[in-house]
Amino acid sequence: MAAAIAALRAPHPYRSCSRSRSRKDAPMSSSTLIRRSCPATRWLEALPLGNGRIGAMVWGDPERARFSLNESTLWSGSPTTTQHWNTSAEDATGIRERARAQFLAGQVAEAQATLEGLGSSWSQAYQPVGELVVAATGGGDEGGRGGGGGGERTLDLARAEHTVRTEAGEHLTFVSVADDVLVHAAPVAPGAPTALEFTSPLAEERRQVDEHGLTVVLRAPSDGVPTRHGDRAELAWDPAGASRAAVVVRTRVEHGRLLVVCAIATTWQGLGRQPDRPVAEALTDATAQAEAALVRGERELRQRHEGAPLPGADAVGLELTGSAKSELLSTMFAYGRHLLAASSRAGLPPANLQGIWNQQVLAPWNSNYTVNINLEMNHWAAGVAHVPGAAEALEGYVAMLRQAGRETARRLYGARGWTVHHNSDPWGYTDPVAGDPKWATWPMGGLWLERELDSFASFSGEDPAVLAEHRLPALREAATFALDLLHEGPDGTLVTFPSTSPENEWITTDGAPVALTESSGMDRWLLREVFESLVAKAELLGVTDDDVVRRAAAALTRIPGPRIGADGRILEWHRDGADEVEPTHRHVSHLGFEYPGAQHLAPELSEAVTASMEARGDEATGWSLAWKTSLWARLHRPDKVQDLLQLFLRTAETEAGERSGLYPNLFSAHPPFQIDGNIGIVAAIAECLIQSHGGEIELLPAPAPILATGSVRALRARPGVEVDMAWSDGALTALSLRAVGPGALGTHRIRLGERAMTVDLPDTQTVEVDVAALR
């Protein structure tokens, strides 16, 4: 065991590779190194760095060092951009009442068309900063000239550094947490000229270039209509109310090395607040950051970078061996953790649809937050794979949404509590967006997010009473909205309306495709999980006489759990026998009680989930493959896990076009690129190795052939137990456990297949387990 875990902790030496080798075949010396044999020629070949705020896609040409820059707080619009379009309380009441009457009369298509009136505006778009090029440094070699060759480039995920090796020396790039700047250092020939180039698709308000570097002030669009609106997609560039960004680049040459530092500061004032900080203040901050970093020099900057890694960067490690695909999968695990840590920082917006790496002013789906799955999936790994900065970022973001969503709940539903719908942004957009109700009219986002925050807490090792005190107020408020949303159903049950199963549709008896239902399968499992969590925490704290707690406890007796249809599948909508418009739809929202839910299921429900998954099929978008993999892992089906992982790891671009899979830089394809696939697969792999939702710690529950041999360090199980283990050909060879806090102390039941044992963790010291008892 010690040797296996030590291998995960050891530094990884540089290993050269042939320049003639193609990028996709470049060998990797470990799961934390991504190697490419020549510079990127397009954005999807560049490699990502970030410190949770500044993002950079590094192209790796030693002669023209190119960086595609982003900053997590730079978005179009502001909290007030679209408020004048929002549906009024009076109109919303009429829309809801009319739609409910139409639905009960069997006029489902008409009711859905009526409900479209609830959404009349849109959330905003995440913006690129621009392209920085450091040209003609004189530090390349013959193969590096003209951008067609150059030394091997490596992204070291453990160190969050990008390097290019040339005969003249190392070209080093990192985005520093300690100094909050992009740092690039490279060899330079004596007297060689150095040119800085900067371009941006944003409006340029100021540019200054001198011997010390360059300074640019940019203005983001004041509004961006989402790309899904087709011909209506457009940008507004009104200077009033728009975000600004100050980009300051400074250079110096010392001891034959060129040092470039880039600082970016915006007029951001905080989540949900107007981005109206004085631009002069942002410019002063960026200038001070750049100049302070430059004075420190390359060596000190690198030392400070190494001394202040991304939160949790080296907390968890996985090595899979036995095949090239196994090694690639362990790289994807490390890559997903790196991407999440590098794009989510406490106090700032959490990772969006593209993390913090986006090259377009109007990106696909505005690169914003899709709350019906993608925002949650971006954070499924934050607990089990311990990425604490991402967990804190989402907690802060949800706190802002609660505040903004109270007004939406009151105005659109006459409800207390709070709500958020399909799309959001850092300004706190919580209304339905203008568009098709199959994705827009979905008011359950608050419950989805509170369930996710509960999940973080379940891995923390914190004392249960402390967790209950922390989580109870938020759960109470989410439950309050849900209780006000519920209606009396025709059979005495309580049902939600309006309701959809994002983003799927069913066919009415007269052949109309519709999405509207009451109490969809997804709604019911979210209601039950949030209400059960609220009641359990209230019981622990002795506050069961609270009115909302009592109402939630009573409602649980009238909200059905998962329902099985006549065809043996889990019912997605209110009507049995409803055919899907798209039987293989990418969303599997109605199966969320299996994963990420934490319910212990009766065998007949697991069989119905299996039937539902088989009907959905394997082919899907990248993020959907990650979700399906997690579901098959919960179902203990290593054969299906193998099938899905093979699809996830394939090449995304083919002669016939694009499909799900991996782009040249290992970004996950929807297509196009969406980062939730990259991050979601981390949680899926973890679910194949350890499951802890059922009150015990189950080891290797879905040992697919691609996962058959390996070792993992510090993967987390509920209620906060770090697990180190090694296995070979599916057989456990070593195991140790450690409680991470007081809530995880005590006796734990460990299971491997049909064998089980108990392990006592009296303190936070590591306990070595005799695996012979589990064989």
Side-chain angles (χ1 to χ4, degrees):
M1 179 66 182
I5 301 305
L8 288 176
R9 298 184 186 275
H12 306 292
Y14 175 81
R15 187 185 302 170
S16 62
C17 69
S18 168
R19 294 182 187 225
S20 62
R21 191 185 299 269
S22 68
R23 282 185 296 273
K24 67 179 181 179
D25 294 329
M28 299 176 187
S29 61
S30 83
S31 63
T32 61
L33 295 181
I34 297 175
R35 298 183 183 277
R36 295 295 180 263
S37 59
C38 59
T41 60
R42 58 191 177 117
W43 193 84
L44 284 171
E45 294 174 354
L47 296 172
L49 290 171
N51 68 353
R53 184 179 72 84
I54 296 174
M57 296 293 286
V58 185
W59 292 58
D61 186 341
E63 289 297 310
R64 286 181 57 82
R66 180 177 177 181
F67 310 100
S68 303
L69 300 176
N70 290 96
E71 205 277 353
S72 70
T73 68
L74 188 60
W75 291 68
S76 68
S78 73
T80 58
T81 296
T82 59
Q83 283 185 2
H84 57 287
W85 295 107
N86 289 345
T87 303
S88 69
E90 181 180 2
D91 288 345
T93 299
I95 288 169
R96 290 196 333 270
E97 291 177 351
R98 186 162 63 254
R100 181 68 175 161
Q102 290 170 324
F103 181 84
L104 293 175
Q107 300 169 341
V108 182
E110 292 83 354
Q112 181 168 306
T114 298
L115 279 170
E116 191 166 345
L118 285 182
S120 53
S121 52
W122 45 84
S123 57
Q124 291 300 308
Y126 180 55
Q127 297 297 298
V129 172
E131 301 284 322
L132 173 65
V133 175
V134 183
T137 63
D141 54 23
E142 287 300 320
R145 299 187 185 281
E152 180 187 65
R153 56 192 173 108
T154 303
L155 177 60
D156 187 328
L157 301 172
R159 295 182 174 89
E161 293 177 348
H162 182 282
T163 57
V164 181
R165 302 296 177 95
T166 69
E167 293 177 4
E170 178 185 77
H171 298 241
L172 170 70
T173 310
F174 55 86
V175 183
S176 172
V177 174
D179 291 285
D180 220 6
V181 294
L182 169 75
V183 176
H184 178 69
V188 61
T194 299
L196 296 177
E197 303 170 10
F198 182 82
T199 58
S200 175
L202 304 184
E204 188 171 309
E205 294 190 335
R206 172 180 173 180
R207 179 181 289 252
Q208 178 181 339
V209 181
D210 56 34
E211 67 273 17
H212 304 296
L214 66 84
T215 299
V216 179
V217 175
L218 305 168
R219 185 178 76 248
S222 57
D223 191 12
V225 180
T227 53
R228 66 173 170 271
H229 288 282
D231 293 340
R232 289 179 56 199
E234 60 183 356
L235 298 166
W237 295 94
D238 186 350
S243 294
R244 268 74 170 179
V247 181
V248 178
V249 183
R250 295 290 183 263
T251 69
R252 86 182 212 194
V253 176
E254 186 176 43
H255 305 305
R257 299 277 291 175
L258 170 69
L259 176 64
V260 181
V261 296
C262 175
I264 306 172
T266 73
T267 53
W268 167 263
Q269 294 271 46
L271 289 163
R273 299 178 61 188
Q274 288 290 128
D276 55 3
R277 184 163 76 120
V279 68
E281 187 178 307
L283 183 57
T284 298
D285 286 352
T287 302
Q289 286 177 327
E291 294 181 349
L294 194 70
V295 168
R296 290 194 170 100
E298 178 185 354
R299 182 177 179 180
E300 183 180 351
L301 286 171
R302 192 173 194 181
Q303 289 174 340
R304 288 167 59 83
H305 169 65
E306 292 174 348
L310 295 166
D314 193 41
V316 179
L318 171 68
E319 290 287 352
L320 300 171
T321 59
S323 71
K325 285 291 181 69
S326 298
E327 294 173 10
L328 176 57
L329 191 62
S330 51
T331 297
M332 295 308 299
F333 183 90
Y335 196 36
R337 290 189 74 253
H338 166 81
L339 293 171
L340 181 55
S343 60
S344 280
R345 180 158 148 182
L348 296 177
N352 60 53
L353 278 176
Q354 295 182 200
I356 53 172
W357 300 279
N358 165 43
Q359 63 175 337
Q360 298 173 258
V361 176
L362 281 177
W365 305 286
N366 275 12
S367 191
N368 60 18
Y369 298 106
T370 303
V371 185
N372 63 25
I373 178 56
N374 312 99
L375 176 58
E376 291 82 5
M377 182 179 287
N378 269 0
H379 294 84
W380 283 350
V384 66
H386 192 52
V387 188
E392 291 182 49
L394 186 64
E395 286 200 46
Y397 185 65
V398 174
M400 180 270 294
L401 290 180
R402 289 188 198 114
Q403 183 174 351
R406 290 171 190 137
E407 192 275 337
T408 297
R410 178 198 58 76
R411 176 168 43 83
L412 294 187
Y413 300 100
R416 296 161 296 172
W418 72 282
T419 185
V420 60
H421 293 76
H422 161 257
N423 274 147
S424 191
D425 56 31
W427 312 129
Y429 187 91
T430 53
D431 271 36
V433 294
D436 196 327
K438 72 179 180 182
W439 33 263
T441 312
W442 178 78
M444 304 298 286
L447 275 72
W448 215 170
L449 289 169
E450 297 294 2
R451 199 226 73 88
E452 189 58 33
L453 297 187
D454 259 11
S455 179
F456 295 162
S458 72
F459 289 98
S460 70
E462 187 59 83
D463 180 89
V466 173
L467 287 178
E469 287 184 0
H470 172 65
R471 292 291 303 138
L472 188 66
L475 289 167
R476 186 183 185 279
E477 189 171 11
T480 298
F481 172 76
L483 289 165
D484 285 356
L485 190 69
L486 289 169
H487 294 263
E488 178 91 24
D491 55 358
T493 61
L494 293 176
V495 298
T496 52
F497 186 88
S499 178
T500 60
S501 184
E503 302 169 6
N504 206 357
E505 293 178 293
W506 56 282
I507 302 172
T508 65
T509 53
D510 58 1
V514 295
L516 185 62
T517 186
E518 63 178 8
S519 241
S520 67
M522 184 187 199
D523 285 10
R524 285 183 279 109
W525 76 259
L526 283 174
L527 287 166
R528 295 196 63 84
E529 286 220 0
V530 170
F531 286 4
E532 286 169 359
S533 180
L534 172 68
V535 171
K537 288 174 174 58
E539 289 176 348
L540 180 62
L541 297 176
V543 291
T544 54
D545 59 344
D546 177 89
D547 178 61
V548 174
V549 174
R550 286 190 290 103
R551 290 175 61 208
L556 278 169
T557 65
R558 302 175 62 191
I559 298 172
R563 298 164 58 198
I564 302 174
D567 60 2
R569 294 186 292 160
I570 298 295
L571 286 183
E572 192 164 357
W573 298 283
H574 70 287
R575 189 169 73 81
D576 196 358
D579 291 329
E580 302 100 324
V581 172
E582 185 182 352
T584 58
H585 197 268
R586 62 196 176 278
H587 280 259
V588 284
S589 309
H590 60 308
L591 308 181
F593 60 88
E594 177 78 73
Y595 184 91
Q599 300 179 22
H600 185 71
L601 302 181
E604 60 268 21
L605 281 177
S606 291
E607 292 172 6
V609 172
T610 298
S612 301
M613 290 286 290
E614 289 172 342
R616 274 296 203 263
D618 291 349
E619 279 287 351
T621 59
W623 62 263
S624 182
L625 289 175
W627 196 354
K628 289 180 178 181
T629 301
S630 300
L631 282 162
W632 283 122
R634 280 280 174 93
L635 292 165
H636 296 77
R637 287 287 301 273
D639 58 328
K640 294 305 300 178
V641 166
Q642 180 77 9
D643 292 343
L644 273 291
L645 290 177
Q646 294 278 12
L647 292 177
F648 186 87
L649 294 175
R650 67 188 176 181
T651 301
E653 296 168 315
T654 71
E655 292 182 2
E658 289 190 62
R659 61 186 180 186
S660 62
L662 302 178
Y663 290 115
N665 62 0
L666 301 185
F667 276 169
S668 177
H670 178 90
F673 160 55
Q674 275 191 202
I675 209 166
D676 40 17
N678 285 100
I679 303 173
I681 205 65
V682 176
I685 294 168
E687 206 64 26
C688 296
L689 302 178
I690 299 174
Q691 294 180 16
S692 56
H693 61 286
E696 61 181 9
I697 300 174
E698 184 178 9
L699 308 176
L700 302 176
I706 198 171
L707 300 165
T709 299
S711 58
V712 70
R713 167 176 52 84
L715 203 60
R716 288 201 173 187
R718 301 172 183 87
V721 177
E722 284 189 349
V723 180
D724 292 354
M725 68 176 178
W727 61 99
S728 180
D729 293 328
L732 188 68
T733 58
L735 175 67
S736 66
L737 307 175
R738 186 180 76 85
V740 302
L745 301 181
T747 301
H748 298 271
R749 182 177 175 84
I750 312 299
R751 174 173 295 281
L752 178 65
E754 298 300 317
R755 303 295 298 272
M757 65 181 295
T758 58
V759 176
D760 189 44
L761 301 180
D763 52 37
T764 57
Q765 299 300 306
T766 298
V767 173
E768 298 283 343
V769 180
D770 181 5
V771 299
L774 290 169
R775 291 175 182 155

